[in-house]
mmCIF file of all heavy atoms in Angstrom:
data_model
loop_
_atom_site.group_PDB
_atom_site.id
_atom_site.type_symbol
_atom_site.label_atom_id
_atom_site.label_comp_id
_atom_site.label_asym_id
_atom_site.label_seq_id
_atom_site.Cartn_x
_atom_site.Cartn_y
_atom_site.Cartn_z
ATOM 1 N N ILE J 66 -13.077 -6.644 27.931
ATOM 2 C CA ILE J 66 -12.524 -5.306 28.236
ATOM 3 C C ILE J 66 -11.597 -5.372 29.436
ATOM 4 O O ILE J 66 -10.495 -4.850 29.401
ATOM 5 C CB ILE J 66 -13.689 -4.300 28.496
ATOM 6 C CG1 ILE J 66 -14.463 -4.030 27.194
ATOM 7 C CG2 ILE J 66 -13.144 -2.993 29.075
ATOM 8 C CD1 ILE J 66 -15.763 -3.265 27.357
ATOM 9 N N ILE J 67 -12.033 -6.064 30.515
ATOM 10 C CA ILE J 67 -11.222 -6.172 31.700
ATOM 11 C C ILE J 67 -9.934 -6.910 31.417
ATOM 12 O O ILE J 67 -8.866 -6.517 31.881
ATOM 13 C CB ILE J 67 -12.016 -6.848 32.857
ATOM 14 C CG1 ILE J 67 -13.138 -5.926 33.325
ATOM 15 C CG2 ILE J 67 -11.089 -7.191 34.010
ATOM 16 C CD1 ILE J 67 -14.066 -6.517 34.352
ATOM 17 N N GLN J 68 -9.989 -7.943 30.585
ATOM 18 C CA GLN J 68 -8.765 -8.669 30.209
ATOM 19 C C GLN J 68 -7.786 -7.723 29.530
ATOM 20 O O GLN J 68 -6.617 -7.720 29.856
ATOM 21 C CB GLN J 68 -9.132 -9.838 29.275
ATOM 22 C CG GLN J 68 -7.921 -10.639 28.792
ATOM 23 C CD GLN J 68 -7.136 -11.260 29.939
ATOM 24 O OE1 GLN J 68 -7.711 -11.900 30.824
ATOM 25 N NE2 GLN J 68 -5.829 -11.071 29.942
ATOM 26 N N GLN J 69 -8.290 -6.910 28.628
ATOM 27 C CA GLN J 69 -7.407 -5.974 27.900
ATOM 28 C C GLN J 69 -6.922 -4.862 28.808
ATOM 29 O O GLN J 69 -5.753 -4.478 28.775
ATOM 30 C CB GLN J 69 -8.178 -5.361 26.717
ATOM 31 C CG GLN J 69 -7.411 -4.330 25.925
ATOM 32 C CD GLN J 69 -6.306 -4.925 25.077
ATOM 33 O OE1 GLN J 69 -6.370 -6.091 24.709
ATOM 34 N NE2 GLN J 69 -5.290 -4.137 24.791
ATOM 35 N N GLU J 70 -7.818 -4.327 29.610
ATOM 36 C CA GLU J 70 -7.488 -3.150 30.426
ATOM 37 C C GLU J 70 -6.502 -3.465 31.564
ATOM 38 O O GLU J 70 -5.549 -2.728 31.764
ATOM 39 C CB GLU J 70 -8.770 -2.553 31.044
ATOM 40 C CG GLU J 70 -9.630 -1.827 30.020
ATOM 41 C CD GLU J 70 -9.066 -0.495 29.572
ATOM 42 O OE1 GLU J 70 -8.044 -0.024 30.081
ATOM 43 O OE2 GLU J 70 -9.660 0.113 28.672
ATOM 44 N N SER J 71 -6.759 -4.535 32.318
ATOM 45 C CA SER J 71 -5.982 -4.781 33.549
ATOM 46 C C SER J 71 -5.514 -6.205 33.716
ATOM 47 O O SER J 71 -4.818 -6.497 34.696
ATOM 48 C CB SER J 71 -6.829 -4.407 34.761
ATOM 49 O OG SER J 71 -7.923 -5.306 34.853
ATOM 50 N N GLY J 72 -5.896 -7.095 32.785
ATOM 51 C CA GLY J 72 -5.559 -8.511 32.980
ATOM 52 C C GLY J 72 -6.183 -9.070 34.260
ATOM 53 O O GLY J 72 -5.659 -9.937 34.891
ATOM 54 N N PHE J 73 -7.337 -8.506 34.648
ATOM 55 C CA PHE J 73 -8.082 -8.906 35.860
ATOM 56 C C PHE J 73 -7.319 -8.598 37.130
ATOM 57 O O PHE J 73 -7.500 -9.238 38.152
ATOM 58 C CB PHE J 73 -8.491 -10.385 35.806
ATOM 59 C CG PHE J 73 -9.668 -10.626 34.893
ATOM 60 C CD1 PHE J 73 -9.465 -10.829 33.540
ATOM 61 C CD2 PHE J 73 -10.957 -10.613 35.380
ATOM 62 C CE1 PHE J 73 -10.531 -11.039 32.678
ATOM 63 C CE2 PHE J 73 -12.038 -10.815 34.517
ATOM 64 C CZ PHE J 73 -11.826 -11.026 33.173
ATOM 65 N N ASN J 74 -6.451 -7.559 37.086
ATOM 66 C CA ASN J 74 -5.735 -7.115 38.285
ATOM 67 C C ASN J 74 -6.462 -5.905 38.860
ATOM 68 O O ASN J 74 -6.421 -4.816 38.283
ATOM 69 C CB ASN J 74 -4.297 -6.780 37.911
ATOM 70 C CG ASN J 74 -3.502 -6.223 39.065
ATOM 71 O OD1 ASN J 74 -4.001 -6.076 40.185
ATOM 72 N ND2 ASN J 74 -2.256 -5.874 38.811
ATOM 73 N N SER J 75 -7.097 -6.095 40.004
ATOM 74 C CA SER J 75 -7.877 -5.008 40.614
ATOM 75 C C SER J 75 -7.014 -3.887 41.131
ATOM 76 O O SER J 75 -7.486 -2.779 41.377
ATOM 77 C CB SER J 75 -8.783 -5.532 41.728
ATOM 78 O OG SER J 75 -7.984 -6.104 42.757
ATOM 79 N N ASN J 76 -5.706 -4.109 41.270
ATOM 80 C CA ASN J 76 -4.787 -3.070 41.736
ATOM 81 C C ASN J 76 -4.000 -2.390 40.619
ATOM 82 O O ASN J 76 -3.081 -1.621 40.885
ATOM 83 C CB ASN J 76 -3.811 -3.643 42.771
ATOM 84 C CG ASN J 76 -4.536 -4.119 44.010
ATOM 85 O OD1 ASN J 76 -5.396 -3.432 44.545
ATOM 86 N ND2 ASN J 76 -4.211 -5.311 44.461
ATOM 87 N N ALA J 77 -4.368 -2.691 39.379
ATOM 88 C CA ALA J 77 -3.622 -2.146 38.218
ATOM 89 C C ALA J 77 -3.757 -0.626 38.167
ATOM 90 O O ALA J 77 -4.837 -0.075 38.433
ATOM 91 C CB ALA J 77 -4.131 -2.754 36.936
ATOM 92 N N THR J 78 -2.654 0.032 37.810
ATOM 93 C CA THR J 78 -2.645 1.473 37.572
ATOM 94 C C THR J 78 -1.833 1.718 36.301
ATOM 95 O O THR J 78 -0.703 1.220 36.190
ATOM 96 C CB THR J 78 -1.980 2.239 38.733
ATOM 97 O OG1 THR J 78 -2.652 1.897 39.949
ATOM 98 C CG2 THR J 78 -2.061 3.740 38.517
ATOM 99 N N SER J 79 -2.417 2.449 35.370
ATOM 100 C CA SER J 79 -1.693 2.716 34.117
ATOM 101 C C SER J 79 -0.733 3.886 34.284
ATOM 102 O O SER J 79 -0.811 4.634 35.262
ATOM 103 C CB SER J 79 -2.691 3.013 32.980
ATOM 104 O OG SER J 79 -3.167 4.331 33.117
ATOM 105 N N LYS J 80 0.129 4.081 33.279
ATOM 106 C CA LYS J 80 1.069 5.211 33.280
ATOM 107 C C LYS J 80 0.290 6.532 33.301
ATOM 108 O O LYS J 80 0.780 7.550 33.769
ATOM 109 C CB LYS J 80 1.984 5.149 32.058
ATOM 110 C CG LYS J 80 2.961 4.017 32.098
ATOM 111 C CD LYS J 80 3.729 3.898 30.776
ATOM 112 C CE LYS J 80 4.491 2.582 30.748
ATOM 113 N NZ LYS J 80 4.812 2.181 29.376
ATOM 114 N N LYS J 81 -0.908 6.515 32.708
ATOM 115 C CA LYS J 81 -1.707 7.723 32.632
ATOM 116 C C LYS J 81 -2.585 7.930 33.866
ATOM 117 O O LYS J 81 -3.333 8.909 33.961
ATOM 118 C CB LYS J 81 -2.571 7.712 31.363
ATOM 119 C CG LYS J 81 -1.744 7.767 30.085
ATOM 120 C CD LYS J 81 -2.614 7.740 28.857
ATOM 121 C CE LYS J 81 -1.756 7.764 27.587
ATOM 122 N NZ LYS J 81 -2.556 7.591 26.395
ATOM 123 N N GLY J 82 -2.568 6.947 34.782
ATOM 124 C CA GLY J 82 -3.344 7.087 36.021
ATOM 125 C C GLY J 82 -4.668 6.371 36.070
ATOM 126 O O GLY J 82 -5.419 6.513 37.027
ATOM 127 N N ALA J 83 -4.984 5.579 35.016
ATOM 128 C CA ALA J 83 -6.223 4.811 35.015
ATOM 129 C C ALA J 83 -6.118 3.728 36.096
ATOM 130 O O ALA J 83 -5.042 3.180 36.343
ATOM 131 C CB ALA J 83 -6.463 4.181 33.658
ATOM 132 N N MET J 84 -7.241 3.438 36.760
ATOM 133 C CA MET J 84 -7.206 2.600 37.961
ATOM 134 C C MET J 84 -8.152 1.391 37.892
ATOM 135 O O MET J 84 -9.240 1.483 37.321
ATOM 136 C CB MET J 84 -7.667 3.455 39.148
ATOM 137 C CG MET J 84 -6.856 4.733 39.360
ATOM 138 S SD MET J 84 -7.560 5.806 40.633
ATOM 139 C CE MET J 84 -9.038 6.396 39.811
ATOM 140 N N GLY J 85 -7.672 0.320 38.505
ATOM 141 C CA GLY J 85 -8.504 -0.849 38.763
ATOM 142 C C GLY J 85 -8.769 -1.727 37.558
ATOM 143 O O GLY J 85 -8.121 -1.609 36.518
ATOM 144 N N LEU J 86 -9.701 -2.629 37.754
ATOM 145 C CA LEU J 86 -10.016 -3.647 36.747
ATOM 146 C C LEU J 86 -10.389 -3.066 35.385
ATOM 147 O O LEU J 86 -9.925 -3.523 34.358
ATOM 148 C CB LEU J 86 -11.158 -4.547 37.239
ATOM 149 C CG LEU J 86 -10.801 -5.470 38.407
ATOM 150 C CD1 LEU J 86 -12.066 -5.935 39.133
ATOM 151 C CD2 LEU J 86 -10.000 -6.655 37.904
ATOM 152 N N MET J 87 -11.249 -2.045 35.379
ATOM 153 C CA MET J 87 -11.716 -1.468 34.124
ATOM 154 C C MET J 87 -10.948 -0.196 33.759
ATOM 155 O O MET J 87 -11.313 0.501 32.828
ATOM 156 C CB MET J 87 -13.222 -1.236 34.166
ATOM 157 C CG MET J 87 -13.974 -2.562 34.269
ATOM 158 S SD MET J 87 -15.741 -2.479 33.936
ATOM 159 C CE MET J 87 -15.741 -2.205 32.136
ATOM 160 N N GLN J 88 -9.858 0.064 34.501
ATOM 161 C CA GLN J 88 -8.946 1.173 34.206
ATOM 162 C C GLN J 88 -9.673 2.498 34.013
ATOM 163 O O GLN J 88 -9.627 3.122 32.953
ATOM 164 C CB GLN J 88 -8.073 0.826 32.999
ATOM 165 C CG GLN J 88 -7.041 -0.234 33.290
ATOM 166 C CD GLN J 88 -5.963 0.245 34.260
ATOM 167 O OE1 GLN J 88 -5.037 0.934 33.863
ATOM 168 N NE2 GLN J 88 -6.097 -0.103 35.522
ATOM 169 N N LEU J 89 -10.363 2.906 35.049
ATOM 170 C CA LEU J 89 -11.088 4.181 35.017
ATOM 171 C C LEU J 89 -10.158 5.329 35.340
ATOM 172 O O LEU J 89 -9.363 5.249 36.259
ATOM 173 C CB LEU J 89 -12.232 4.153 36.028
ATOM 174 C CG LEU J 89 -13.267 3.038 35.839
ATOM 175 C CD1 LEU J 89 -14.250 3.022 37.001
ATOM 176 C CD2 LEU J 89 -14.016 3.231 34.531
ATOM 177 N N MET J 90 -10.252 6.406 34.568
ATOM 178 C CA MET J 90 -9.468 7.592 34.842
ATOM 179 C C MET J 90 -10.051 8.253 36.084
ATOM 180 O O MET J 90 -11.251 8.164 36.332
ATOM 181 C CB MET J 90 -9.489 8.541 33.622
ATOM 182 C CG MET J 90 -8.754 8.006 32.419
ATOM 183 S SD MET J 90 -7.012 7.697 32.735
ATOM 184 C CE MET J 90 -6.377 9.378 32.785
ATOM 185 N N PRO J 91 -9.218 8.955 36.858
ATOM 186 C CA PRO J 91 -9.713 9.583 38.075
ATOM 187 C C PRO J 91 -10.952 10.459 37.893
ATOM 188 O O PRO J 91 -11.891 10.374 38.688
ATOM 189 C CB PRO J 91 -8.505 10.401 38.573
ATOM 190 C CG PRO J 91 -7.331 9.672 38.018
ATOM 191 C CD PRO J 91 -7.784 9.127 36.675
ATOM 192 N N GLU J 92 -10.956 11.287 36.870
ATOM 193 C CA GLU J 92 -12.105 12.185 36.640
ATOM 194 C C GLU J 92 -13.373 11.382 36.310
ATOM 195 O O GLU J 92 -14.455 11.732 36.749
ATOM 196 C CB GLU J 92 -11.817 13.203 35.546
ATOM 197 C CG GLU J 92 -10.937 14.343 36.001
ATOM 198 C CD GLU J 92 -11.542 15.120 37.191
ATOM 199 O OE1 GLU J 92 -12.722 15.528 37.125
ATOM 200 O OE2 GLU J 92 -10.832 15.302 38.187
ATOM 201 N N THR J 93 -13.192 10.330 35.497
ATOM 202 C CA THR J 93 -14.340 9.497 35.131
ATOM 203 C C THR J 93 -14.880 8.824 36.393
ATOM 204 O O THR J 93 -16.107 8.801 36.619
ATOM 205 C CB THR J 93 -13.930 8.444 34.071
ATOM 206 O OG1 THR J 93 -13.362 9.101 32.951
ATOM 207 C CG2 THR J 93 -15.114 7.598 33.641
ATOM 208 N N ALA J 94 -13.979 8.249 37.184
ATOM 209 C CA ALA J 94 -14.394 7.576 38.431
ATOM 210 C C ALA J 94 -15.167 8.554 39.311
ATOM 211 O O ALA J 94 -16.238 8.215 39.846
ATOM 212 C CB ALA J 94 -13.185 7.018 39.152
ATOM 213 N N LYS J 95 -14.608 9.737 39.464
ATOM 214 C CA LYS J 95 -15.239 10.773 40.300
ATOM 215 C C LYS J 95 -16.655 11.113 39.780
ATOM 216 O O LYS J 95 -17.603 11.181 40.546
ATOM 217 C CB LYS J 95 -14.365 12.020 40.339
ATOM 218 C CG LYS J 95 -14.800 13.076 41.310
ATOM 219 C CD LYS J 95 -13.802 14.237 41.299
ATOM 220 C CE LYS J 95 -14.308 15.356 42.189
ATOM 221 N NZ LYS J 95 -13.389 16.514 42.133
ATOM 222 N N SER J 96 -16.767 11.269 38.462
ATOM 223 C CA SER J 96 -18.064 11.631 37.861
ATOM 224 C C SER J 96 -19.088 10.500 38.018
ATOM 225 O O SER J 96 -20.290 10.760 37.987
ATOM 226 C CB SER J 96 -17.901 11.983 36.389
ATOM 227 O OG SER J 96 -17.686 10.821 35.607
ATOM 228 N N LEU J 97 -18.617 9.285 38.201
ATOM 229 C CA LEU J 97 -19.506 8.141 38.400
ATOM 230 C C LEU J 97 -19.818 7.894 39.850
ATOM 231 O O LEU J 97 -20.493 6.940 40.219
ATOM 232 C CB LEU J 97 -18.888 6.875 37.777
ATOM 233 C CG LEU J 97 -18.756 6.881 36.263
ATOM 234 C CD1 LEU J 97 -17.772 5.814 35.806
ATOM 235 C CD2 LEU J 97 -20.121 6.686 35.604
ATOM 236 N N GLY J 98 -19.279 8.748 40.732
ATOM 237 C CA GLY J 98 -19.504 8.618 42.180
ATOM 238 C C GLY J 98 -18.693 7.519 42.842
ATOM 239 O O GLY J 98 -19.069 7.027 43.903
ATOM 240 N N ILE J 99 -17.608 7.112 42.216
ATOM 241 C CA ILE J 99 -16.761 6.042 42.763
ATOM 242 C C ILE J 99 -15.795 6.649 43.777
ATOM 243 O O ILE J 99 -15.066 7.577 43.464
ATOM 244 C CB ILE J 99 -16.010 5.334 41.629
ATOM 245 C CG1 ILE J 99 -16.989 4.609 40.711
ATOM 246 C CG2 ILE J 99 -14.945 4.408 42.189
ATOM 247 C CD1 ILE J 99 -16.373 4.060 39.472
ATOM 248 N N SER J 100 -15.822 6.109 44.995
ATOM 249 C CA SER J 100 -14.914 6.621 46.021
ATOM 250 C C SER J 100 -13.602 5.819 46.079
ATOM 251 O O SER J 100 -12.589 6.328 46.496
ATOM 252 C CB SER J 100 -15.589 6.611 47.385
ATOM 253 O OG SER J 100 -15.990 5.308 47.735
ATOM 254 N N ASP J 101 -13.660 4.546 45.670
ATOM 255 C CA ASP J 101 -12.446 3.710 45.659
ATOM 256 C C ASP J 101 -12.403 2.927 44.327
ATOM 257 O O ASP J 101 -13.029 1.868 44.222
ATOM 258 C CB ASP J 101 -12.442 2.761 46.843
ATOM 259 C CG ASP J 101 -11.228 1.857 46.886
ATOM 260 O OD1 ASP J 101 -10.323 1.989 46.028
ATOM 261 O OD2 ASP J 101 -11.158 0.955 47.760
ATOM 262 N N ALA J 102 -11.650 3.464 43.375
ATOM 263 C CA ALA J 102 -11.598 2.845 42.045
ATOM 264 C C ALA J 102 -10.866 1.482 42.042
ATOM 265 O O ALA J 102 -10.913 0.791 41.043
ATOM 266 C CB ALA J 102 -10.931 3.787 41.049
ATOM 267 N N TYR J 103 -10.218 1.144 43.160
ATOM 268 C CA TYR J 103 -9.545 -0.154 43.245
ATOM 269 C C TYR J 103 -10.462 -1.226 43.888
ATOM 270 O O TYR J 103 -10.091 -2.399 43.933
ATOM 271 C CB TYR J 103 -8.225 -0.042 44.017
ATOM 272 C CG TYR J 103 -7.225 0.817 43.282
ATOM 273 C CD1 TYR J 103 -6.980 2.118 43.662
ATOM 274 C CD2 TYR J 103 -6.537 0.321 42.165
ATOM 275 C CE1 TYR J 103 -6.079 2.927 42.973
ATOM 276 C CE2 TYR J 103 -5.627 1.110 41.481
ATOM 277 C CZ TYR J 103 -5.408 2.424 41.892
ATOM 278 O OH TYR J 103 -4.508 3.197 41.189
ATOM 279 N N ASN J 104 -11.609 -0.795 44.329
ATOM 280 C CA ASN J 104 -12.582 -1.740 44.874
ATOM 281 C C ASN J 104 -13.300 -2.386 43.684
ATOM 282 O O ASN J 104 -13.925 -1.683 42.893
ATOM 283 C CB ASN J 104 -13.594 -0.960 45.751
ATOM 284 C CG ASN J 104 -14.723 -1.838 46.236
ATOM 285 O OD1 ASN J 104 -15.397 -2.510 45.471
ATOM 286 N ND2 ASN J 104 -14.957 -1.796 47.544
ATOM 287 N N PRO J 105 -13.143 -3.722 43.521
ATOM 288 C CA PRO J 105 -13.739 -4.374 42.333
ATOM 289 C C PRO J 105 -15.233 -4.074 42.147
ATOM 290 O O PRO J 105 -15.658 -3.859 41.015
ATOM 291 C CB PRO J 105 -13.500 -5.858 42.597
ATOM 292 C CG PRO J 105 -12.285 -5.879 43.491
ATOM 293 C CD PRO J 105 -12.409 -4.681 44.367
ATOM 294 N N ASN J 106 -15.957 -4.052 43.202
ATOM 295 C CA ASN J 106 -17.408 -3.797 43.134
ATOM 296 C C ASN J 106 -17.687 -2.409 42.516
ATOM 297 O O ASN J 106 -18.442 -2.282 41.584
ATOM 298 C CB ASN J 106 -18.027 -3.906 44.526
ATOM 299 C CG ASN J 106 -19.441 -4.399 44.491
ATOM 300 O OD1 ASN J 106 -19.765 -5.409 43.898
ATOM 301 N ND2 ASN J 106 -20.321 -3.647 45.134
ATOM 302 N N GLU J 107 -17.058 -1.398 43.077
ATOM 303 C CA GLU J 107 -17.260 -0.011 42.607
ATOM 304 C C GLU J 107 -16.732 0.159 41.191
ATOM 305 O O GLU J 107 -17.347 0.804 40.354
ATOM 306 C CB GLU J 107 -16.563 0.991 43.549
ATOM 307 C CG GLU J 107 -17.226 1.163 44.864
ATOM 308 C CD GLU J 107 -16.587 2.315 45.654
ATOM 309 O OE1 GLU J 107 -16.544 3.440 45.137
ATOM 310 O OE2 GLU J 107 -16.136 2.040 46.786
ATOM 311 N N ASN J 108 -15.538 -0.384 40.932
ATOM 312 C CA ASN J 108 -14.882 -0.222 39.654
ATOM 313 C C ASN J 108 -15.685 -0.884 38.527
ATOM 314 O O ASN J 108 -15.928 -0.268 37.481
ATOM 315 C CB ASN J 108 -13.466 -0.808 39.710
ATOM 316 C CG ASN J 108 -12.688 -0.569 38.427
ATOM 317 O OD1 ASN J 108 -12.884 -1.241 37.437
ATOM 318 N ND2 ASN J 108 -11.765 0.412 38.486
ATOM 319 N N ILE J 109 -16.131 -2.094 38.748
ATOM 320 C CA ILE J 109 -16.875 -2.813 37.705
ATOM 321 C C ILE J 109 -18.238 -2.138 37.486
ATOM 322 O O ILE J 109 -18.627 -1.945 36.343
ATOM 323 C CB ILE J 109 -17.018 -4.313 38.057
ATOM 324 C CG1 ILE J 109 -15.642 -4.976 37.961
ATOM 325 C CG2 ILE J 109 -18.022 -4.990 37.130
ATOM 326 C CD1 ILE J 109 -15.598 -6.400 38.528
ATOM 327 N N GLU J 110 -18.937 -1.796 38.575
ATOM 328 C CA GLU J 110 -20.211 -1.136 38.370
ATOM 329 C C GLU J 110 -20.021 0.171 37.621
ATOM 330 O O GLU J 110 -20.729 0.454 36.648
ATOM 331 C CB GLU J 110 -20.947 -0.849 39.691
ATOM 332 C CG GLU J 110 -22.282 -0.163 39.419
ATOM 333 C CD GLU J 110 -23.137 0.133 40.645
ATOM 334 O OE1 GLU J 110 -22.609 0.092 41.781
ATOM 335 O OE2 GLU J 110 -24.327 0.438 40.467
ATOM 336 N N GLY J 111 -19.043 0.977 38.027
ATOM 337 C CA GLY J 111 -18.798 2.264 37.382
ATOM 338 C C GLY J 111 -18.414 2.080 35.933
ATOM 339 O O GLY J 111 -18.912 2.788 35.050
#
Side-chain angles (χ1 to χ4, degrees):
I66 292 170
I67 292 174
Q68 179 60 48
Q69 178 72 25
E70 288 286 355
S71 66
F73 284 86
N74 176 359
S75 61
N76 295 315
T78 304
S79 77
K80 292 173 191 158
K81 294 179 182 174
M84 305 171 290
L86 290 161
M87 294 194 72
Q88 289 292 279
L89 300 173
M90 291 300 287
E92 282 303 309
T93 304
K95 188 177 175 184
S96 75
L97 293 163
I99 294 171
S100 59
D101 179 4
Y103 295 102
N104 175 307
N106 210 53
E107 287 188 57
N108 185 281
I109 292 169
E110 180 178 15

